[in-house]
Amino acid sequence: MTQFVGVKDMARWIARDGLDRVIRLIAAGIEEDLAAWEKFEKVPRMAAHSDIGVIELMPISDDELYAFKYVNGHPDNPLRGIQTIAAFGALADVATGHPVFLAEMTLLTAVRTAAMSTVAAKRLARPESRVMAMIGAGSQAEFQAIGMREILGINELRVYDVDPYGVAKLVNNLEPLGFHITTCSRVDEAVTGADIVTTCTADKQHAVALMDSHVAAGMHINAIGGDCPGKTELDPRILERARVFVEFEEQTRIEGEIQMMPADFPVTELWRVVTDRADGRVRNRDITVFDSVGFALADLSALRVCWQATAGTNLQTDIDLIADPRDPKDLFSLIMHPVEAGEDVAERLA
Amino acid sequence: MTQFVGVKDMARWIARDGLDRVIRLIAAGIEEDLAAWEKFEKVPRMAAHSDIGVIELMPISDDELYAFKYVNGHPDNPLRGIQTIAAFGALADVATGHPVFLAEMTLLTAVRTAAMSTVAAKRLARPESRVMAMIGAGSQAEFQAIGMREILGINELRVYDVDPYGVAKLVNNLEPLGFHITTCSRVDEAVTGADIVTTCTADKQHAVALMDSHVAAGMHINAIGGDCPGKTELDPRILERARVFVEFEEQTRIEGEIQMMPADFPVTELWRVVTDRADGRVRNRDITVFDSVGFALADLSALRVCWQATAGTNLQTDIDLIADPRDPKDLFSLIMHPVEAGEDVAERLA
């Protein structure tokens, strides 16, 4: 039987182990997979765009595991009272091709994105970083904040969102957890003095959540929301001054902030930093940008970690996805003798 | 809530309505979608190949529905006692990007492949066809036979398989349903006098299940098993003598029998025949080949038909795939207040 973790059980797992520890666990999984980068079969995700959103499939595999995620992005969904994204995904055994694990990934994507941000920031932000500006206080904001505190010790947040309600929600969620939060009414107010700037907005257009004048020497910019063709957040002049790091260059050229730059604009894939083949931050004054669009590898890591961490517990349930007739060549027998079928089918067809 | 139909419930649905009637229903859905061909966003499927098999994702969408299927092909699986393929898929609402329906598709793929074969054969086989040769008696054979009887009135089968057990299984399954079956020990014995030849073998290699000398004027060849790069079933000389029809040319050039032919080898997409923009069979003596590799459109049709036919019945169950916090921007609240979480998370993180 394929094992399944739905939304409620995903929430229960994260609550049981703690979001901070789950992010740490998944970040370690991502680092392990980034270190083995060359063994993965990698392709840019397949996207189906409509006027109001996008639906994507994100597959990746190595010799043992195949993973894919289904995910949409519909920025106007919250106006209808529903999540901007809904995601789910699966792991399959490459040896048989059969799915072994299916899970909701709306929560898991928020967790793995936070974990990925920490993997980058650990190598790209100044070690003494303590203050993070957050531009965008939507669904992912709390996950980012808790990840950055767990891995980098960031405890001071300066938050701006066009929607003051989002800011209030974030304060309400994070102040009880001991964060020091300054709410800001303008972007420049939020970023002044920040060590790390996380941009995470959802507009499906070329927006400028962060202007060049906002960015000071030494900053690390964790740019999460520019993740579709036609959807960017940064003033392109920031990129010209910065050293830019990406997950998977082939995909980021299409989707990331660097879609605004020439095709030969220099970028460094993060796995090269993780494996010491390329420098992360070199000088204190460097401006670094993690142009994060979300890549399938981190989804595989997150699914694997979740699968292992919930194995053998009641967080996993059986899901009836594998047709398993006694004789593998006799698929037809399942129809002729369905469990609890109310009708003698053989008789009716005869 | 997303609705789910697992293997047992799929079998119960097909048993409840009858495989013949379900094939007819899905064939009608496929014809409806083929008639609207130009409104679909179509891409060749994404395949991840290993030495022993392939795992594929097959997406397609129009303005209203997005569908995708996960499916593998591992010809040696039956030696391990498991199905060659395991498939599942989903329908999503393009307006919100949220999945509305998830279903097993191992059974459903066998059904939709049979339905697709009938859509082609209805236009490509001679109207007086009564005898079908079947080369390959694996998981899909019974579905093909029942579809061809339901739509074309084929009641006489001549069956060959390298594995005599497969043939015995097919006879055992279909004779009680009133089919006249001749078991054959050689391909030429099976095809002599046949009006339609269905080839459906699983070897992942260039095999020649059907030789040029086997093929007589007037035959329709329903070639199902050549569906991967490096996996074909027909002697290429057959293609030179035949008029060849495909589902989606861009994908079939990579995967179908015509991968053996030059890039400009003429083929006709089946939707053009369905919409009267191209001829199907013209003369009695024509040899026609439906070079069927399996295309996402038929999966969308099958998922939609199944979704509608099982709606409001206990064949569908809720599956917990949509994160739905009271406030759509407060995804984090699901973790802080998980259902039945055994721990006060807010306290632990503080």
Side-chain angles (χ1 to χ4, degrees):
Chain A
M1 272 281 191
T2 310
Q3 295 301 303
F4 174 61
V5 172
V7 175
K8 283 190 192 63
D9 289 320
M10 188 65 74
R12 287 174 62 214
W13 170 50
I14 298 168
R16 185 195 75 182
D17 290 1
L19 177 56
D20 44 6
R21 281 184 288 185
V22 168
I23 290 174
R24 183 177 283 280
L25 212 55
I26 291 177
I30 290 172
E31 288 182 341
E32 190 186 313
D33 290 332
L34 285 175
W37 179 260
E38 284 150 312
K39 79 175 178 179
F40 289 98
E41 189 174 330
K42 298 171 287 287
V43 288
R45 56 188 159 200
M46 282 175 115
H49 294 276
S50 67
D51 292 343
I52 54 165
V54 61
I55 298 179
E56 298 170 329
L57 291 176
M58 304 169 66
I60 191 165
S61 57
D62 65 9
D63 289 346
E64 291 176 13
L65 279 179
Y66 174 98
F68 82 90
K69 179 168 80 173
Y70 167 100
V71 61
N72 75 296
H74 284 61
D76 290 342
N77 272 2
L79 301 176
R80 310 177 187 213
I82 61 177
Q83 284 286 301
T84 301
I85 83 160
F88 65 99
L91 286 176
D93 178 1
V94 168
T96 65
H98 286 202
V100 294
F101 184 59
L102 180 79
E104 85 81 37
M105 292 188 76
T106 305
L107 281 165
L108 195 58
T109 292
V111 176
R112 78 89 158 107
T113 304
M116 191 74 197
S117 292
T118 70
V119 169
K122 200 165 85 174
R123 291 159 176 89
L124 302 179
R126 281 175 294 112
E128 66 273 23
S129 297
R130 290 297 171 267
V131 178
M132 178 161 75
M134 305 193 73
I135 312 302
S139 277
Q140 297 201 45
E142 293 88 350
F143 298 82
Q144 287 287 328
I146 287 173
M148 290 296 190
R149 180 165 80 174
E150 174 68 9
I151 308 291
L152 282 92
I154 302 289
N155 204 40
E156 190 177 336
L157 306 177
R158 302 192 184 172
V159 185
Y160 170 78
D161 195 301
V162 288
D163 174 10
Y165 168 76
V167 176
K169 172 217 68 168
L170 181 135
V171 170
N172 185 52
N173 280 333
L174 293 185
E175 266 191 355
L177 305 184
F179 283 91
H180 298 286
I181 307 175
T182 308
T183 64
C184 303
S185 54
R186 297 198 319 271
V187 172
D188 59 348
E189 190 188 338
V191 300
T192 303
D195 304 304
I196 299 176
V197 179
T198 289
T199 57
C200 188
T201 61
D203 263 0
K204 197 183 175 187
Q205 60 181 351
H206 290 296
V208 182
L210 202 62
M211 285 168 34
D212 188 41
S213 60
H214 296 147
V215 176
M219 274 184 183
H220 171 60
I221 300 166
N222 179 39
I224 297 173
D227 58 358
C228 257
K231 180 170 183 292
T232 57
E233 291 178 325
L234 303 186
D235 182 336
R237 286 172 298 179
I238 298 170
L239 300 173
E240 286 165 13
R241 293 163 61 199
R243 299 186 53 224
V244 177
F245 298 81
V246 301
E247 289 139 323
F248 176 47
E249 181 175 346
E250 189 179 344
Q251 181 178 306
T252 311
R253 293 268 176 213
I254 303 166
E255 301 179 355
E257 300 296 335
I258 58 168
Q259 66 186 272
M260 301 184 287
M261 309 305 281
D264 61 351
F265 179 79
V267 299
T268 303
E269 286 182 333
L270 192 63
W271 72 274
R272 297 175 56 83
V273 182
V274 169
T275 57
D276 289 324
R277 302 191 200 192
D279 288 326
R281 170 173 294 273
V282 177
R283 294 166 310 176
N284 244 354
R285 290 185 46 82
D286 285 349
I287 296 165
T288 51
V289 171
F290 180 40
D291 185 0
S292 174
V293 297
F295 182 53
L297 181 118
D299 295 315
L300 182 144
S301 312
L303 281 168
R304 193 188 62 229
V305 167
C306 175
W307 183 38
Q308 291 166 347
T310 58
T313 75
N314 69 4
L315 297 169
Q316 295 189 357
T317 50
D318 289 343
I319 182 166
D320 184 23
L321 276 187
I322 306 289
D324 187 26
R326 203 162 357 169
D327 163 17
K329 287 193 178 177
D330 197 3
L331 186 61
F332 185 68
S333 66
L334 294 181
I335 296 172
M336 296 306 279
H337 310 288
V339 176
E340 304 171 86
E343 175 175 18
D344 186 341
V345 187
E347 200 167 86
R348 207 190 58 68
L349 283 168
Chain B
M1 272 282 192
T2 310
Q3 294 302 303
F4 175 62
V5 173
V7 175
K8 284 189 190 65
D9 288 321
M10 187 65 75
R12 287 175 61 215
W13 170 50
I14 299 168
R16 185 195 74 180
D17 289 1
L19 177 56
D20 44 5
R21 282 185 287 184
V22 168
I23 290 174
R24 183 177 282 278
L25 212 57
I26 291 177
I30 290 173
E31 287 181 344
E32 189 186 314
D33 289 332
L34 285 175
W37 179 260
E38 283 150 312
K39 77 175 181 179
F40 288 98
E41 188 174 330
K42 299 172 287 287
V43 288
R45 56 188 157 200
M46 282 177 115
H49 294 275
S50 67
D51 292 344
I52 54 166
V54 62
I55 298 179
E56 297 170 328
L57 290 177
M58 305 169 66
I60 191 166
S61 56
D62 65 9
D63 289 345
E64 291 176 13
L65 280 179
Y66 175 98
F68 82 89
K69 179 168 81 174
Y70 168 100
V71 59
N72 75 296
H74 283 63
D76 289 342
N77 272 1
L79 301 176
R80 311 177 187 212
I82 61 177
Q83 285 285 301
T84 301
I85 82 158
F88 65 99
L91 286 176
D93 178 0
V94 168
T96 64
H98 287 201
V100 293
F101 184 58
L102 180 79
E104 85 80 39
M105 293 187 75
T106 306
L107 281 165
L108 196 58
T109 292
V111 175
R112 79 86 157 108
T113 304
M116 190 75 197
S117 292
T118 71
V119 170
K122 200 165 85 173
R123 291 159 176 89
L124 302 180
R126 281 175 294 112
E128 67 273 23
S129 295
R130 290 297 172 269
V131 179
M132 178 161 74
M134 305 193 72
I135 312 302
S139 278
Q140 298 202 45
E142 293 88 350
F143 297 82
Q144 287 287 327
I146 288 173
M148 290 296 191
R149 180 165 79 174
E150 173 67 12
I151 309 290
L152 283 93
I154 302 289
N155 203 40
E156 191 176 339
L157 305 177
R158 302 191 184 172
V159 186
Y160 170 78
D161 195 301
V162 289
D163 174 10
Y165 168 77
V167 177
K169 171 216 67 166
L170 181 136
V171 169
N172 185 53
N173 280 334
L174 293 185
E175 266 191 355
L177 306 183
F179 283 91
H180 298 285
I181 307 175
T182 308
T183 64
C184 303
S185 54
R186 296 197 321 269
V187 172
D188 59 347
E189 190 187 338
V191 299
T192 302
D195 303 304
I196 299 176
V197 179
T198 290
T199 55
C200 189
T201 59
D203 264 0
K204 195 182 176 187
Q205 60 181 354
H206 290 295
V208 182
L210 201 62
M211 284 169 33
D212 188 42
S213 59
H214 295 147
V215 176
M219 273 185 183
H220 171 59
I221 300 166
N222 179 39
I224 298 173
D227 59 358
C228 257
K231 179 168 183 294
T232 58
E233 293 178 327
L234 303 186
D235 183 335
R237 285 173 298 178
I238 298 171
L239 300 174
E240 287 164 13
R241 293 163 61 199
R243 299 186 53 226
V244 177
F245 298 82
V246 301
E247 290 138 323
F248 176 48
E249 181 175 346
E250 188 179 345
Q251 181 179 307
T252 312
R253 292 268 176 212
I254 303 166
E255 301 178 354
E257 300 296 335
I258 58 169
Q259 67 186 271
M260 300 183 288
M261 309 306 279
D264 60 352
F265 179 79
V267 299
T268 303
E269 286 182 333
L270 192 62
W271 73 274
R272 297 175 57 83
V273 182
V274 169
T275 57
D276 290 325
R277 301 191 199 191
D279 288 327
R281 169 173 295 272
V282 178
R283 295 166 307 179
N284 244 352
R285 290 186 47 81
D286 284 348
I287 296 165
T288 51
V289 171
F290 179 41
D291 185 0
S292 176
V293 298
F295 181 52
L297 181 118
D299 296 314
L300 182 144
S301 313
L303 281 168
R304 194 188 62 229
V305 167
C306 175
W307 183 38
Q308 290 165 347
T310 58
T313 74
N314 69 3
L315 297 169
Q316 296 188 357
T317 49
D318 290 342
I319 181 167
D320 184 22
L321 276 187
I322 307 289
D324 188 24
R326 204 163 355 170
D327 163 18
K329 287 193 177 177
D330 197 4
L331 186 62
F332 186 68
S333 67
L334 295 181
I335 296 171
M336 296 306 280
H337 310 288
V339 176
E340 303 172 88
E343 174 173 18
D344 187 341
V345 187
E347 200 168 88
R348 207 190 59 67
L349 283 169

PDB file of all heavy atoms in Angstrom, chain A residues 58-76:
ATOM      1  N   MET A  58       6.485  19.356 -10.990  1.00  0.00           N
ATOM      2  CA  MET A  58       7.918  19.448 -10.720  1.00  0.00           C
ATOM      3  C   MET A  58       8.488  18.063 -10.413  1.00  0.00           C
ATOM      4  O   MET A  58       8.447  17.615  -9.280  1.00  0.00           O
ATOM      5  CB  MET A  58       8.139  20.376  -9.519  1.00  0.00           C
ATOM      6  CG  MET A  58       7.521  21.759  -9.713  1.00  0.00           C
ATOM      7  SD  MET A  58       7.503  22.758  -8.198  1.00  0.00           S
ATOM      8  CE  MET A  58       9.262  23.010  -7.923  1.00  0.00           C
ATOM      9  N   PRO A  59       9.024  17.376 -11.426  1.00  0.00           N
ATOM     10  CA  PRO A  59       9.601  16.058 -11.191  1.00  0.00           C
ATOM     11  C   PRO A  59      11.127  16.106 -11.012  1.00  0.00           C
ATOM     12  O   PRO A  59      11.781  17.043 -11.481  1.00  0.00           O
ATOM     13  CB  PRO A  59       9.271  15.315 -12.491  1.00  0.00           C
ATOM     14  CG  PRO A  59       9.297  16.383 -13.545  1.00  0.00           C
ATOM     15  CD  PRO A  59       8.948  17.697 -12.866  1.00  0.00           C
ATOM     16  N   ILE A  60      11.652  15.125 -10.340  1.00  0.00           N
ATOM     17  CA  ILE A  60      13.112  14.949 -10.209  1.00  0.00           C
ATOM     18  C   ILE A  60      13.343  13.508  -9.788  1.00  0.00           C
ATOM     19  O   ILE A  60      12.471  12.890  -9.170  1.00  0.00           O
ATOM     20  CB  ILE A  60      13.714  15.929  -9.179  1.00  0.00           C
ATOM     21  CG1 ILE A  60      15.247  15.918  -9.250  1.00  0.00           C
ATOM     22  CG2 ILE A  60      13.225  15.614  -7.756  1.00  0.00           C
ATOM     23  CD1 ILE A  60      15.898  17.096  -8.549  1.00  0.00           C
ATOM     24  N   SER A  61      14.510  12.967 -10.108  1.00  0.00           N
ATOM     25  CA  SER A  61      14.788  11.593  -9.690  1.00  0.00           C
ATOM     26  C   SER A  61      16.278  11.337  -9.602  1.00  0.00           C
ATOM     27  O   SER A  61      17.082  12.024 -10.236  1.00  0.00           O
ATOM     28  CB  SER A  61      14.155  10.591 -10.670  1.00  0.00           C
ATOM     29  OG  SER A  61      14.621  10.822 -11.979  1.00  0.00           O
ATOM     30  N   ASP A  62      16.630  10.342  -8.775  1.00  0.00           N
ATOM     31  CA  ASP A  62      17.972   9.776  -8.842  1.00  0.00           C
ATOM     32  C   ASP A  62      17.796   8.279  -9.111  1.00  0.00           C
ATOM     33  O   ASP A  62      16.764   7.870  -9.646  1.00  0.00           O
ATOM     34  CB  ASP A  62      18.784  10.089  -7.575  1.00  0.00           C
ATOM     35  CG  ASP A  62      18.218   9.447  -6.319  1.00  0.00           C
ATOM     36  OD1 ASP A  62      17.290   8.619  -6.414  1.00  0.00           O
ATOM     37  OD2 ASP A  62      18.706   9.762  -5.223  1.00  0.00           O
ATOM     38  N   ASP A  63      18.798   7.464  -8.777  1.00  0.00           N
ATOM     39  CA  ASP A  63      18.694   6.034  -9.084  1.00  0.00           C
ATOM     40  C   ASP A  63      17.663   5.313  -8.222  1.00  0.00           C
ATOM     41  O   ASP A  63      17.229   4.217  -8.562  1.00  0.00           O
ATOM     42  CB  ASP A  63      20.046   5.335  -8.860  1.00  0.00           C
ATOM     43  CG  ASP A  63      21.046   5.734  -9.899  1.00  0.00           C
ATOM     44  OD1 ASP A  63      20.623   6.315 -10.923  1.00  0.00           O
ATOM     45  OD2 ASP A  63      22.252   5.488  -9.697  1.00  0.00           O
ATOM     46  N   GLU A  64      17.300   5.919  -7.098  1.00  0.00           N
ATOM     47  CA  GLU A  64      16.432   5.215  -6.155  1.00  0.00           C
ATOM     48  C   GLU A  64      15.032   5.793  -6.039  1.00  0.00           C
ATOM     49  O   GLU A  64      14.056   5.063  -5.988  1.00  0.00           O
ATOM     50  CB  GLU A  64      17.082   5.203  -4.768  1.00  0.00           C
ATOM     51  CG  GLU A  64      18.319   4.319  -4.739  1.00  0.00           C
ATOM     52  CD  GLU A  64      19.038   4.371  -3.409  1.00  0.00           C
ATOM     53  OE1 GLU A  64      18.474   4.885  -2.429  1.00  0.00           O
ATOM     54  OE2 GLU A  64      20.193   3.896  -3.367  1.00  0.00           O
ATOM     55  N   LEU A  65      14.950   7.111  -5.968  1.00  0.00           N
ATOM     56  CA  LEU A  65      13.662   7.758  -5.733  1.00  0.00           C
ATOM     57  C   LEU A  65      13.299   8.698  -6.870  1.00  0.00           C
ATOM     58  O   LEU A  65      14.154   9.411  -7.398  1.00  0.00           O
ATOM     59  CB  LEU A  65      13.697   8.568  -4.427  1.00  0.00           C
ATOM     60  CG  LEU A  65      13.502   7.816  -3.120  1.00  0.00           C
ATOM     61  CD1 LEU A  65      13.589   8.792  -1.951  1.00  0.00           C
ATOM     62  CD2 LEU A  65      12.161   7.077  -3.085  1.00  0.00           C
ATOM     63  N   TYR A  66      12.018   8.682  -7.203  1.00  0.00           N
ATOM     64  CA  TYR A  66      11.441   9.659  -8.111  1.00  0.00           C
ATOM     65  C   TYR A  66      10.472  10.482  -7.290  1.00  0.00           C
ATOM     66  O   TYR A  66       9.720   9.931  -6.477  1.00  0.00           O
ATOM     67  CB  TYR A  66      10.708   8.929  -9.229  1.00  0.00           C
ATOM     68  CG  TYR A  66       9.930   9.819 -10.183  1.00  0.00           C
ATOM     69  CD1 TYR A  66      10.479  10.203 -11.401  1.00  0.00           C
ATOM     70  CD2 TYR A  66       8.653  10.262  -9.869  1.00  0.00           C
ATOM     71  CE1 TYR A  66       9.776  11.009 -12.284  1.00  0.00           C
ATOM     72  CE2 TYR A  66       7.942  11.071 -10.748  1.00  0.00           C
ATOM     73  CZ  TYR A  66       8.508  11.440 -11.949  1.00  0.00           C
ATOM     74  OH  TYR A  66       7.805  12.234 -12.814  1.00  0.00           O
ATOM     75  N   ALA A  67      10.488  11.781  -7.462  1.00  0.00           N
ATOM     76  CA  ALA A  67       9.548  12.646  -6.751  1.00  0.00           C
ATOM     77  C   ALA A  67       8.908  13.601  -7.735  1.00  0.00           C
ATOM     78  O   ALA A  67       9.520  13.980  -8.731  1.00  0.00           O
ATOM     79  CB  ALA A  67      10.260  13.445  -5.661  1.00  0.00           C
ATOM     80  N   PHE A  68       7.641  13.949  -7.468  1.00  0.00           N
ATOM     81  CA  PHE A  68       7.075  15.079  -8.197  1.00  0.00           C
ATOM     82  C   PHE A  68       6.138  15.832  -7.274  1.00  0.00           C
ATOM     83  O   PHE A  68       5.616  15.290  -6.299  1.00  0.00           O
ATOM     84  CB  PHE A  68       6.336  14.634  -9.474  1.00  0.00           C
ATOM     85  CG  PHE A  68       4.933  14.147  -9.220  1.00  0.00           C
ATOM     86  CD1 PHE A  68       3.856  15.033  -9.247  1.00  0.00           C
ATOM     87  CD2 PHE A  68       4.684  12.822  -8.937  1.00  0.00           C
ATOM     88  CE1 PHE A  68       2.550  14.593  -9.009  1.00  0.00           C
ATOM     89  CE2 PHE A  68       3.391  12.380  -8.695  1.00  0.00           C
ATOM     90  CZ  PHE A  68       2.328  13.263  -8.733  1.00  0.00           C
ATOM     91  N   LYS A  69       5.952  17.106  -7.605  1.00  0.00           N
ATOM     92  CA  LYS A  69       4.984  17.929  -6.887  1.00  0.00           C
ATOM     93  C   LYS A  69       4.041  18.570  -7.885  1.00  0.00           C
ATOM     94  O   LYS A  69       4.459  18.996  -8.958  1.00  0.00           O
ATOM     95  CB  LYS A  69       5.710  19.015  -6.081  1.00  0.00           C
ATOM     96  CG  LYS A  69       4.760  19.938  -5.315  1.00  0.00           C
ATOM     97  CD  LYS A  69       5.489  20.818  -4.299  1.00  0.00           C
ATOM     98  CE  LYS A  69       6.145  22.019  -4.924  1.00  0.00           C
ATOM     99  NZ  LYS A  69       6.706  22.929  -3.921  1.00  0.00           N
ATOM    100  N   TYR A  70       2.767  18.598  -7.523  1.00  0.00           N
ATOM    101  CA  TYR A  70       1.769  19.415  -8.202  1.00  0.00           C
ATOM    102  C   TYR A  70       1.632  20.679  -7.378  1.00  0.00           C
ATOM    103  O   TYR A  70       1.463  20.599  -6.160  1.00  0.00           O
ATOM    104  CB  TYR A  70       0.421  18.672  -8.236  1.00  0.00           C
ATOM    105  CG  TYR A  70      -0.750  19.557  -8.638  1.00  0.00           C
ATOM    106  CD1 TYR A  70      -1.245  19.524  -9.929  1.00  0.00           C
ATOM    107  CD2 TYR A  70      -1.334  20.442  -7.728  1.00  0.00           C
ATOM    108  CE1 TYR A  70      -2.301  20.351 -10.310  1.00  0.00           C
ATOM    109  CE2 TYR A  70      -2.379  21.270  -8.103  1.00  0.00           C
ATOM    110  CZ  TYR A  70      -2.859  21.219  -9.390  1.00  0.00           C
ATOM    111  OH  TYR A  70      -3.890  22.039  -9.768  1.00  0.00           O
ATOM    112  N   VAL A  71       1.697  21.832  -8.021  1.00  0.00           N
ATOM    113  CA  VAL A  71       1.498  23.083  -7.265  1.00  0.00           C
ATOM    114  C   VAL A  71       0.932  24.166  -8.181  1.00  0.00           C
ATOM    115  O   VAL A  71       1.295  24.250  -9.349  1.00  0.00           O
ATOM    116  CB  VAL A  71       2.822  23.551  -6.605  1.00  0.00           C
ATOM    117  CG1 VAL A  71       3.893  23.831  -7.649  1.00  0.00           C
ATOM    118  CG2 VAL A  71       2.603  24.781  -5.713  1.00  0.00           C
ATOM    119  N   ASN A  72       0.016  24.938  -7.635  1.00  0.00           N
ATOM    120  CA  ASN A  72      -0.498  26.086  -8.393  1.00  0.00           C
ATOM    121  C   ASN A  72      -0.034  27.376  -7.732  1.00  0.00           C
ATOM    122  O   ASN A  72       0.487  27.373  -6.608  1.00  0.00           O
ATOM    123  CB  ASN A  72      -2.030  26.061  -8.436  1.00  0.00           C
ATOM    124  CG  ASN A  72      -2.619  26.490  -7.104  1.00  0.00           C
ATOM    125  OD1 ASN A  72      -2.415  25.796  -6.116  1.00  0.00           O
ATOM    126  ND2 ASN A  72      -3.297  27.622  -7.060  1.00  0.00           N
ATOM    127  N   GLY A  73      -0.234  28.496  -8.418  1.00  0.00           N
ATOM    128  CA  GLY A  73      -0.027  29.815  -7.837  1.00  0.00           C
ATOM    129  C   GLY A  73      -1.095  30.736  -8.399  1.00  0.00           C
ATOM    130  O   GLY A  73      -1.087  31.042  -9.591  1.00  0.00           O
ATOM    131  N   HIS A  74      -2.044  31.116  -7.544  1.00  0.00           N
ATOM    132  CA  HIS A  74      -3.164  31.979  -7.951  1.00  0.00           C
ATOM    133  C   HIS A  74      -3.265  33.131  -6.946  1.00  0.00           C
ATOM    134  O   HIS A  74      -3.924  32.989  -5.908  1.00  0.00           O
ATOM    135  CB  HIS A  74      -4.477  31.172  -7.995  1.00  0.00           C
ATOM    136  CG  HIS A  74      -4.612  30.284  -9.188  1.00  0.00           C
ATOM    137  ND1 HIS A  74      -3.738  29.259  -9.466  1.00  0.00           N
ATOM    138  CD2 HIS A  74      -5.518  30.292 -10.216  1.00  0.00           C
ATOM    139  CE1 HIS A  74      -4.112  28.660 -10.594  1.00  0.00           C
ATOM    140  NE2 HIS A  74      -5.178  29.269 -11.072  1.00  0.00           N
ATOM    141  N   PRO A  75      -2.603  34.269  -7.250  1.00  0.00           N
ATOM    142  CA  PRO A  75      -2.497  35.360  -6.261  1.00  0.00           C
ATOM    143  C   PRO A  75      -3.835  35.894  -5.778  1.00  0.00           C
ATOM    144  O   PRO A  75      -3.914  36.425  -4.668  1.00  0.00           O
ATOM    145  CB  PRO A  75      -1.739  36.458  -7.023  1.00  0.00           C
ATOM    146  CG  PRO A  75      -1.091  35.790  -8.176  1.00  0.00           C
ATOM    147  CD  PRO A  75      -1.897  34.574  -8.503  1.00  0.00           C
ATOM    148  N   ASP A  76      -4.900  35.756  -6.579  1.00  0.00           N
ATOM    149  CA  ASP A  76      -6.198  36.293  -6.141  1.00  0.00           C
ATOM    150  C   ASP A  76      -7.009  35.308  -5.298  1.00  0.00           C
ATOM    151  O   ASP A  76      -8.105  35.644  -4.829  1.00  0.00           O
ATOM    152  CB  ASP A  76      -7.040  36.717  -7.358  1.00  0.00           C
ATOM    153  CG  ASP A  76      -6.449  37.955  -8.025  1.00  0.00           C
ATOM    154  OD1 ASP A  76      -5.638  38.652  -7.372  1.00  0.00           O
ATOM    155  OD2 ASP A  76      -6.785  38.200  -9.198  1.00  0.00           O
TER     156      ASP A  76
END
